[in-house]
């Protein structure tokens, strides 16, 4: 086989390969009712003999053509591999997203449950606070009732070895001006100084006297007007909480009296013209 025949065979092979690709692509677009007559390379030239080592003037050979086809196929395989890798990655991401979504839904359910629990706890705490307030007020009321027969005498000088009951009776006769026979008939359950003795204290400790009879206590208390302008005072005994409340009410009472209203404080309540005074900012214990 001479050089011209080899070049012709190589050209024929190239045309045959191109024809095969054209037939594969064009066959899908052909109309079945109007077939198009295609010329094959055999109509132009006879099929070339195999001669892989033959080269054309352009430098192409069967090996080059086959290598080109192999490279295209390799590139296609690489793309398929890349698609498979991307598909696996996408599948993994989708599974991860589904798992994350399940976790979010679980957390949302737990959050809703916790929110309900917090709401329930808040309601319980509010209820407990209300119950605690009621119990506290009940205890204060019981303490006040246990003190209803008590009077506190303030400003009476102390002596080293004093008899508190005799000191109170002497004070009642001298400063409250009750008849001696009335004072002698007063019955005390207990009389004592309040708190521990403090040397150098500016004022003497108050004396608490628990009367045996409520009427006798009220009789002594009614003479308190005799102490006006002195350093002495006689008052009911109350728990600490009620004393703090009374300190709040006294200025309000004074202001209302100056305006012409009739204001009276009973324990820890202020009555103005016969009606209970209520103000959340000054009397929160009434709410």
């Amino acid at each position: 086989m001479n050089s011209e025949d080899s070049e012709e065979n190589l050209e024929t092979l190239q045309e045959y390969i191109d024809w095969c690709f054209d037939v594969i692509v064009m066959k899908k677009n052909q109309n079945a009712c109007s077939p198009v007559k295609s010329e094959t390379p055999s109509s132009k030239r006879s099929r070339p003999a195999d001669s892989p080592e033959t080269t054309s003037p352009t430098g192409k050979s069967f090996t080059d053509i086959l290598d080109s086809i192999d490279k295209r196929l390799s590139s296609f395989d690489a793309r398929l591999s890349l698609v498979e890798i991307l598909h696996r990655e996408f599948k993994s991401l989708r599974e991860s997203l589904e798992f994350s979504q399940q976790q979010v839904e679980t957390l949302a359910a737990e959050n809703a449950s916790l929110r309900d629990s917090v709401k329930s706890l808040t309601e319980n705490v509010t209820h407990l606070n209300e119950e605690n307030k009621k119990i506290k007020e009940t205890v204060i009321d019981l303490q006040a009732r246990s003190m209803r027969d008590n009077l506190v005498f303030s400003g009476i000088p102390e002596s080293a070895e004093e008899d508190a009951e005799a000191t109170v009776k002497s004070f009642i006769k001298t400063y409250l001006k009750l008849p001696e026979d009335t004072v002698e008939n007063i019955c005390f359950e207990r009389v004592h100084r309040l708190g521990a003795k403090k040397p150098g204290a500016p004022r003497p400790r108050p004396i608490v006297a628990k009367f045996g009879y409520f009427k006798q206590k009220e009789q002594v208390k009614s003479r308190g007007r005799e102490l006006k302008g002195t350093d002495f005072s006689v008052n009911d005994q109350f728990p600490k909480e009620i004393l703090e409340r009374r300190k709040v009410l006294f200025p309000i009472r004074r202001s209302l009296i100056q305006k012409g209203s009739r204001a009276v404080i009973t324990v820890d309540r202020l009555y103005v013209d016969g009606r209970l005074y209520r103000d959340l900012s000054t009397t929160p214990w009434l709410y």
Side-chain angles (χ1 to χ4, degrees), residues 91 93-103 105:
K91 184 179 178 181
L93 287 172
R94 185 175 62 185
E95 292 175 351
S96 177
L97 181 61
E98 290 175 353
F99 178 74
S100 298
Q101 184 64 29
Q102 291 177 355
Q103 285 187 318
E105 292 175 356

Side-chain angles (χ1 to χ4, degrees), residues 181-211:
D181 57 340
T182 301
V183 175
E184 291 301 325
N185 289 329
I186 294 176
C187 178
F188 293 107
E189 290 188 9
R190 186 174 63 254
V191 182
H192 63 91
R193 294 273 180 178
L194 273 177
K197 188 174 182 179
K198 297 179 181 179
R203 288 179 60 83
R205 293 175 296 165
I207 297 177
V208 177
K210 183 176 182 62
F211 288 76

Side-chain angles (χ1 to χ4, degrees), residues 268-283:
D268 60 346
R269 284 164 171 73
L270 173 62
Y271 292 90
V272 183
D273 296 327
R275 300 182 63 181
L276 178 63
Y277 175 86
R278 294 170 66 93
D279 185 345
L280 184 59
S281 62
T282 56
T283 56

Side-chain angles (χ1 to χ4, degrees), residues 152-157 171 175 202-204 206 224 226-235:
V152 179
F153 296 83
S154 301
I156 300 176
F171 177 83
Y175 293 95
R203 288 179 60 83
E226 300 292 337
L227 301 176
K228 188 174 182 180
T230 68
D231 293 331
F232 305 113
S233 64
V234 177
N235 297 292

